[in-house]
């Protein structure tokens, strides 16, 4: 397929280089000052509660079961937090995703090296690290990146089994009886597949890994290779690992089945309207998910087409199965979301690396007159500068952002053009990916200061925390929004009292006659029925607000003498109620 050396392998310095690059780029989110978003706060706060109560089976929000996803990401977050003795800082809860994302990049680089050699392996690692959607989740403390790590590990074990031999086309060199033995890597693959059910939703991660494996095996139509995976003990290990948490969760909360039916069934049949999308959703969204490498991927697909279609057991065929069949199969389900494809970015990154290699190869073949880097001022820099100037009024941060970009853009483009056309491949790649890291870092800092829709709420919650004396209680209305409740609790002290809804303010276990209450402004009428209220402070702007009535507001509530007297101690909140998918319970 190309002229690169497929026999060379990554060395320790290569892995160290990738590791340092990823830790610096991904670790930026730990120190940038950008707060948690609503969705991002789910994992940190549920892990914080797990760290406090020691319940390793049921993740919680405000003491109520939050069983949307299995708890492996919480386990990992608590493990990291245990090193620091606390789980309430953004830097701590983002450390785990930084490490997992770095590991994913190293696995992708290793697989690409096995396929195409050291040069493309290293290039694939850097491409993966700088792909828009992957970098975004490497910066976030969400469970998605943990599932990405598990899926990539399972696929890497399959790649080891299928491609690590000197001759991948050779027959299987191990007994393949249904009850017979297998090499340890086969058992490890089944265990890894089972572990994909310990993050995010049930079956989802397993499908992400099994689809490319099955497509590759069926396309090659080699019964000997297929029989390797028809193994009783492997599938038994898979079932044990897969079912361990669901069974434990069911024994604690039998009605957790309602959550699984709502999430999994609703996404398959379209009854969960929040995620229902048309069949073409994934092909269209891949265009930005894979940015900025979208333009070079067609060259990678073209360069690998012959081997993918005509050569059995080829790496190119497996990459096509992984890249194409995953979005194709998931397009059949009604429920879709762009972050589902996070776990299938790896093959596209390797194809993009092939495309980059081919594009540079073609550019070097241009006439010498076109090698002058200043040609890029007119062909690339000028259109970018014109676009920035025309859109300057819409750019967050105004002149503080677009003027530095306009000044730096021509220099960087000329420098990159010169590096690509006149330096070695190694130095050209160094210039490219250093520029990418600087651009992403600049964008991240700008977003944290000017774009992040949650920054105002984060500052408001920080001010609220400073406002509440240590001996005072603050009641937190989690019903302001299902996921926003996680964010409220994470940024408040441990003296915050979570309320499933405002009726729980009647709980007779609240001893103080006067308390602080954090809720939306439009809920003041409910508080007036309980006692005398006074507004203390209000967020200048709450994310997703439709009017000022939706803004987070801190009230001072002094109970009426006849209020309370109702105990919530034995009130059960079901998993569906905890997620506000079912109504109730309400204290009377």
């Amino acid at each position: 397929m190309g002229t690169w050396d497929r026999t060379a392998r990554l060395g320790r310095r290569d892995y160290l280089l990738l590791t340092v690059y990823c830790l610096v780029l991904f670790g930026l989110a730990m120190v940038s000052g950008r707060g948690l978003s609503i969705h991002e706060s789910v994992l940190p706060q549920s892990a914080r509660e797990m760290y406090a109560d020691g319940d390793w089976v049921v993740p919680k929000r405000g003491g109520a079961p939050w069983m949307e996803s299995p708890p492996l990401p919480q386990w990992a977050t608590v493990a990291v937090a245990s090193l620091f003795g606390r789980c309430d800082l953004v830097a701590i809860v983002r450390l785990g995703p930084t490490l997992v994302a770095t590991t994913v990049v190293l696995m992708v680089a290793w697989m690409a090296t096995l396929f195409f050699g050291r040069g493309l392996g290293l290039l694939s690692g850097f491409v993966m690290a700088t792909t828009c959607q992957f970098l975004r989740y490497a910066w976030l403390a969400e469970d998605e990146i943990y599932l990405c790590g598990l899926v990539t590990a399972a696929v890497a074990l399959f790649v080891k089994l299928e491609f690590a031999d000197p001759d991948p086309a050779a027959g299987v060199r191990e007994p393949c009886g249904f009850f017979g033995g297998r090499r340890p890597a086969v058992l490890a693959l089944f265990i890894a597949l089972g572990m994909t059910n310990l993050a995010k939703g049930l079956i989802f991660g397993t499908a992400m890994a099994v689809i490319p494996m099955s497509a590759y095996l069926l396309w090659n139509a080699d019964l000997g290779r297929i029989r390797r995976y028809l193994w009783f003990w492997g599938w038994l290990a898979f079932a044990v690992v897969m079912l361990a948490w669901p069974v434990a969760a069911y024994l604690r909360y039998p009605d957790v089945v309602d959550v699984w039916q709502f999430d999994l069934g609703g996404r398959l049949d379209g009854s969960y309207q929040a995620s229902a999308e048309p069949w073409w959703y994934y092909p269209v969204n891949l265009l930005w998910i894979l940015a900025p490498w979208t333009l070079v991927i067609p060259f990678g697909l073209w360069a690998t087409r012959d081997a993918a279609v005509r050569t059995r057991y080829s790496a190119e065929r497996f990459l096509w199965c992984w890249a194409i069949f995953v979005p194709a199969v998931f397009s059949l389900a009604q429920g879709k979301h762009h972050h589902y494809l996070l776990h299938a970015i790896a093959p596209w990154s390797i194809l993009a690396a092939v495309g980059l290699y081919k594009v540079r190869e073609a550019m070097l073949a241009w006439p010498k007159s076109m090698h002058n880097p200043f040609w890029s001022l007119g062909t690339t820099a000028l259109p970018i500068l014109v676009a920035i100037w025309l859109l300057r009024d819409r750019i967050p941060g105004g002149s503080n952002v677009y003027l530095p970009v306009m000044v730096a853009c021509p220099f960087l483009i000329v420098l990159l053009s010169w590096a690509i056309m006149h330096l070695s491949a190694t130095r050209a790649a160094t210039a490219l990916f250093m520029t990418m890291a600087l651009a992403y870092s600049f964008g991240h800092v700008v977003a944290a200061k000017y774009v992040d829709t949650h920054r105002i709420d984060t500052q408001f919650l920080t001010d609220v925390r400073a406002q509440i004396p240590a001996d005072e209680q603050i009641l937190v209305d989690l019903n302001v929004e299902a996921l926003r409740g996680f964010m409220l609790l994470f940024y408040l002290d441990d003296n915050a009292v979570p309320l499933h809804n405002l009726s729980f303010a009647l709980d007779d276990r609240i001893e103080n006659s006067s308390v602080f209450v954090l809720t939306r402004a439009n809920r003041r009428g409910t508080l007036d029925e309980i006692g005398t209220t006074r507004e203390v402070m209000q967020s200048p702007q709450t994310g997703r607000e439709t009017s000022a009535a939706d803004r987070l507001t801190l009230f001072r509530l002094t109970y009426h003498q006849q209020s309370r007297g109702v105990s919530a101690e034995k009130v059960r909140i079901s998993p569906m109620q905890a997620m506000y998918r079912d109504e109730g319970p309400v204290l009377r």
Side-chain angles (χ1 to χ4, degrees):
M1 185 189 70
T3 58
W4 49 78
D5 182 5
R6 293 186 183 230
T7 62
R9 294 291 178 257
L10 291 178
R12 292 181 180 179
R13 291 184 179 180
D14 299 320
Y15 285 114
L16 179 61
L17 177 63
L18 275 172
T19 299
V20 172
Y21 183 87
C22 291
L23 290 178
V24 172
L25 181 58
F26 302 162
L28 175 64
M30 298 170 56
V31 297
S32 65
R34 186 171 185 174
L36 301 178
S37 67
I38 294 175
H39 198 282
E40 186 188 3
S41 60
V42 174
L43 173 59
Q45 178 55 28
S46 57
R48 182 184 179 189
E49 294 196 32
M50 183 177 286
Y51 182 77
D53 66 19
D55 184 351
W56 297 92
V57 176
V58 180
K60 300 182 183 71
R61 186 212 51 189
W66 189 271
M67 305 174 78
E68 180 183 31
S69 302
L72 185 143
Q74 282 85 354
W75 299 343
T77 304
V78 170
V80 172
S82 298
L83 300 176
F84 301 91
R86 59 191 303 179
C87 193
D88 59 348
L89 294 179
V90 171
I92 292 175
V93 298
R94 282 182 176 159
L95 176 57
T98 296
L99 298 176
V100 172
T102 300
T103 304
V104 170
V105 169
L106 297 179
M107 287 190 287
V108 171
W110 174 82
M111 286 187 281
T113 300
L114 201 61
F115 295 154
F116 302 125
R118 174 180 175 270
L120 277 177
L122 199 58
L123 188 60
S124 298
F126 282 113
V127 169
M128 182 73 181
T130 53
T131 299
C132 170
Q133 181 82 326
F134 181 78
L135 178 56
R136 177 186 178 190
Y137 280 93
W139 278 335
L140 299 177
E142 294 196 21
D143 50 10
E144 294 288 350
I145 198 67
Y146 289 96
L147 180 59
C148 182
L150 292 171
V151 170
T152 308
V155 175
L157 285 167
F158 179 80
V159 167
K160 175 179 175 61
L161 289 166
E162 295 294 322
F163 295 96
D165 291 332
D167 182 10
V172 177
R173 302 175 181 176
E174 59 192 56
C176 290
F178 185 60
F179 292 98
R182 299 289 193 278
R183 70 175 79 175
V186 179
L187 178 61
L189 171 60
F190 280 101
I191 293 174
L193 287 175
M195 291 183 66
T196 59
N197 285 275
L198 293 177
K200 206 59 183 170
L202 301 179
I203 306 299
F204 176 80
T206 306
M208 279 286 175
V210 168
I211 288 170
M213 300 177 194
S214 302
Y216 175 76
L217 291 172
L218 293 174
W219 194 348
N220 287 329
D222 185 332
L223 182 59
R225 288 177 178 270
I226 294 174
R227 288 177 58 199
R228 170 193 273 166
Y229 306 103
L230 299 179
W231 184 39
F232 174 81
W233 303 111
W235 288 108
L236 178 62
F238 165 77
V240 170
V241 176
M242 170 190 173
L243 295 175
W245 178 78
V247 170
Y250 176 80
L251 293 175
R252 292 275 297 276
Y253 288 88
D255 46 351
V256 69
V257 174
D258 296 334
V259 175
W260 299 336
Q261 289 177 339
F262 183 94
D263 283 347
L264 182 58
R267 284 171 169 81
L268 290 175
D269 62 22
S271 58
Y272 185 29
Q273 288 297 312
S275 65
E277 298 290 351
W279 66 268
W280 42 261
Y281 177 82
Y282 287 135
V284 170
N285 278 270
L286 274 173
L287 297 177
W288 70 264
I289 288 173
L290 301 174
W293 310 115
T294 310
L295 294 178
V296 300
I297 285 176
F299 297 94
L301 287 170
W302 182 259
T304 57
R305 71 193 188 284
D306 285 338
V309 174
R310 300 177 182 177
T311 306
R312 289 178 89 192
Y313 316 113
S314 65
E316 292 87 345
R317 175 169 290 188
F318 178 72
L319 286 175
W320 274 46
C321 289
W322 194 2
I324 296 173
F325 280 96
V326 170
V329 172
F330 274 83
S331 292
L332 300 177
Q334 294 294 314
K336 303 178 182 69
H337 198 284
H338 59 79
H339 66 238
Y340 295 170
L341 292 189
L342 171 68
H343 323 292
I345 289 177
W348 292 106
S349 297
I350 299 174
L351 289 169
V354 174
L356 275 175
Y357 180 92
K358 289 298 182 181
V359 167
R360 183 174 188 269
E361 193 177 62
M363 292 175 67
L364 293 177
W366 288 351
K368 289 293 184 180
S369 60
M370 297 182 66
H371 286 203
N372 190 326
F374 287 99
W375 281 111
S376 62
L377 286 176
T379 59
T380 305
L382 183 59
I384 293 176
L385 293 175
V386 170
I388 293 174
W389 181 254
L390 293 176
L391 298 173
R392 64 189 184 281
D393 294 334
R394 300 183 182 181
I395 295 177
S399 59
N400 291 332
V401 175
Y402 72 76
L403 286 181
V405 173
M406 293 185 72
V407 171
C409 178
F411 292 99
L412 290 176
I413 287 177
V414 170
L415 176 63
L416 281 177
S417 299
W418 173 76
I420 291 172
M421 302 300 290
H422 296 278
L423 296 183
S424 67
T426 300
R427 292 180 179 179
T430 300
L432 174 62
F433 290 107
M434 288 300 294
T435 302
M436 292 293 300
L438 290 173
Y440 273 127
S441 299
F442 179 77
H444 182 81
V445 173
V446 168
K449 188 172 183 179
Y450 299 110
V451 181
D452 183 15
T453 58
H454 305 290
R455 68 190 187 281
I456 298 176
D457 279 340
T458 300
Q459 184 58 53
F460 170 70
L461 291 172
T462 302
D463 296 339
V464 167
R465 182 171 180 166
Q467 176 82 15
I468 308 299
D471 58 346
E472 291 273 11
Q473 286 183 321
I474 174 172
L475 311 184
V476 181
D477 178 14
L478 302 183
N479 196 26
V480 294
E481 191 177 337
L483 299 185
R484 192 181 296 275
F486 286 100
M487 183 182 181
L488 303 186
L489 291 177
F490 184 84
Y491 280 103
L492 296 175
D493 280 324
D494 292 333
N495 63 346
V497 179
L499 305 179
H500 179 63
N501 53 53
L502 286 180
S503 75
F504 280 70
L506 300 172
D507 190 353
D508 59 9
R509 291 176 297 175
I510 300 173
E511 299 178 353
N512 295 354
S513 60
S514 181
V515 294
F516 290 96
V517 181
L518 181 60
T519 184
R520 291 191 185 273
N522 56 16
R523 307 267 174 92
R524 181 168 187 168
T526 302
L527 294 178
D528 288 337
E529 297 175 2
I530 300 174
T532 303
T533 58
R534 172 175 60 87
E535 182 179 313
V536 179
M537 57 192 302
Q538 184 179 86
S539 175
Q541 180 182 345
T542 293
R544 302 177 184 175
E545 68 175 34
T546 58
S547 69
D550 294 330
R551 291 177 184 171
L552 292 174
T553 306
L554 181 67
F555 293 101
R556 183 71 175 182
L557 170 67
T558 302
Y559 282 98
H560 294 318
Q561 187 173 1
Q562 70 275 19
S563 296
R564 295 186 295 181
V566 181
S567 177
E569 184 175 4
K570 297 183 179 181
V571 174
R572 183 181 186 276
I573 301 175
S574 74
M576 287 289 282
Q577 290 171 335
M579 301 178 72
Y580 299 105
R581 292 172 175 171
D582 279 348
E583 295 184 359
V586 176
L587 292 190
R588 301 295 183 184

